[in-house]
Amino acid sequence: MAKTQVNLRMDETVAEMARHAAETRRMPVNDYVAQLIRDDNEKLREVFMAGAQEVLDEYGDLLDGIEAA
């Protein structure tokens, strides 16, 4: 997969936290940040899908009736 360069600015305390967390996980900071972003997006997807399922559970029959009309 092709890589794109993104420059981030953060205060030194946060940068040091990122370096330490990446080192603890034995991975480059770039990979650590990329993993955080992937994890965050996956969590958002799970929340969205759970909400969508609740709507379908609650209003599925109504939606089916509207679609059939």
Side-chain angles (χ1 to χ4, degrees), residues 34-54:
Q35 186 63 51
L36 289 175
I37 293 167
R38 280 191 295 274
D39 291 349
D40 184 58
N41 279 283
E42 184 60 31
K43 286 177 191 171
L44 289 174
R45 182 182 181 282
E46 289 174 11
V47 168
F48 173 80
M49 294 303 288
Q53 188 62 54
E54 286 180 29

Side-chain angles (χ1 to χ4, degrees), residues 3 5 12-17 20 22-23 27 33-34 51 54 57 59-61 63-64 66 68-69:
K3 301 253 180 175
Q5 183 172 336
E12 185 56 37
T13 302
V14 175
E16 185 56 38
M17 291 168 64
H20 179 72
E23 183 180 307
M27 62 193 319
V33 171
E54 286 180 29
D57 291 347
Y59 301 104
D61 293 338
L63 294 171
D64 287 342
I66 291 170

